[in-house]
Amino acid sequence: MKLTQGMAAVVTGGASGLGRASAAALAQAGLTVAIFDINDEDGEAHAKAIGGTFHHVDIMDEASVEAGFAAARGANGQERVTVHCAMASRRGKTIGWDKEKGGYKRLSTEDYEFGAQGILVASYRVASISALGMANAEPVNDDGERGSITLTASVAAQDGQIGQTIYGSCKSGVNGMVLPMARDLMDLGIRVNSVMPGIFATPLMLGMKDRNPQMWDQLNASVPFPKRLGEPEEFASLIVEIARNTYINGHQFRLDGAIRMPPK
């Protein structure tokens, strides 16, 4: 898909981390980016910096996501590129030791449900609402392409660590959504892919650099090559290429410096 000046895009979680870098890279490619986030201050500032728009959107709320897409389309036109980076989850071992009670406790079903809603259901919500809008738009090229949707999974989808039962299984579900959804949408010319980032230098991880420099060094050393955390701009570069390359469809990309996560 040729990325043309003014073509509309939506990036969830675009106020920080991988989403922020993706929004900037798409804007650099000429697209007008709508940032969906709950961080109003950073989201509005970043949208202004890249010549896009900001929309307060809670991915856990159907009405909020629908309203966000409606507002973004009203401002920028029908999105042709959607990148879903936002998520919400919890962590904990399936069965863990409760120090206060002096016995084992179970990771609650409510905690699991929260993660499933914040990762898996939210991914379907964003992708399907975007796809509906794309389906009613005219194709942009001779292939009949109408748009590209990229979801964010994680290497935890394949290498889930201790305490990542919720996160790993739900990110695996995101990957599992990709091929059947791509096939569902093939006659409409809408592509669906996912990216599984490894350990990236997002604000959350960068906080460790000062708090625990020894752990920071160990994380960098754990990556086969290059021996460092990934840069958000490297994630964003792949996002742009997926949007640009019409033959990329139904695929899950590991972007991880060849790391394979140990149990802990």
Side-chain angles (χ1 to χ4, degrees):
M1 180 167 59
K2 184 177 181 181
L3 304 183
T4 58
Q5 191 71 33
M7 178 181 280
V10 167
V11 178
T12 73
S16 65
L18 302 180
R20 181 184 181 89
S22 298
L26 289 168
Q28 183 65 34
L31 279 68
T32 301
V33 181
I35 291 173
F36 289 6
D37 210 294
I38 58 173
N39 185 332
D40 294 351
E41 184 176 355
D42 289 348
E44 288 174 356
H46 192 45
K48 183 178 180 180
I50 65 173
T53 59
F54 173 76
H55 309 272
H56 182 99
V57 172
D58 179 359
I59 60 167
M60 304 282 276
D61 185 282
E62 186 96 356
S64 179
V65 175
E66 288 181 337
F69 273 104
R73 290 165 185 166
N76 308 325
Q78 171 59 49
E79 75 280 355
R80 301 296 188 157
V81 176
T82 293
V83 180
H84 178 53
C85 294
M87 59 151 280
S89 188
R90 293 171 183 162
R91 63 174 291 126
K93 295 177 68 175
T94 306
I95 303 295
W97 184 257
D98 189 328
K99 293 181 180 178
E100 294 183 2
K101 296 182 177 180
Y104 288 107
K105 64 178 180 179
R106 177 179 69 94
L107 181 64
S108 74
T109 303
E110 289 76 16
D111 282 339
Y112 191 93
E113 183 179 20
F114 179 87
Q117 287 287 339
I119 296 173
L120 188 54
V121 175
S123 294
Y124 177 79
R125 176 179 290 125
V126 169
S128 61
I129 293 173
S130 181
L132 182 60
M134 292 175 180
N136 290 301
E138 292 297 315
V140 297
N141 56 31
D142 292 340
D143 289 317
E145 187 172 11
R146 288 183 169 87
S148 168
I149 298 168
T150 303
L151 305 174
T152 304
S154 167
V155 294
Q158 297 177 341
D159 308 338
Q161 295 183 290
I162 291 170
Q164 291 187 333
T165 295
I166 299 172
Y167 185 72
S169 64
C170 292
K171 287 295 190 179
S172 180
V174 171
N175 278 344
M177 192 186 305
V178 168
L179 183 58
M181 185 177 282
R183 288 173 168 174
D184 278 353
L185 302 177
M186 64 184 186
D187 292 336
L188 297 170
I190 301 169
R191 297 183 290 115
V192 183
N193 297 281
S194 67
V195 178
M196 294 177 275
I199 312 173
F200 272 72
T202 60
L204 181 65
M205 295 303 298
L206 287 170
M208 182 187 297
K209 191 173 184 179
D210 294 326
R211 293 195 312 269
N212 193 336
Q214 182 178 2
M215 178 65 73
W216 174 260
D217 291 341
Q218 289 174 353
L219 282 174
N220 282 276
S222 71
V223 183
F225 182 82
K227 287 197 169 297
R228 59 172 174 79
L229 274 63
E231 296 292 342
E233 291 74 18
E234 291 169 320
F235 176 90
S237 174
L238 179 56
I239 290 296
V240 173
E241 180 57 26
I242 290 172
R244 182 182 286 132
N245 192 325
T246 301
Y247 215 63
I248 297 176
N249 193 19
H251 193 68
Q252 304 93 19
F253 291 89
R254 280 189 74 119
L255 187 66
D256 59 13
I259 198 170
R260 296 297 180 267
M261 304 298 288
K264 64 179 179 178

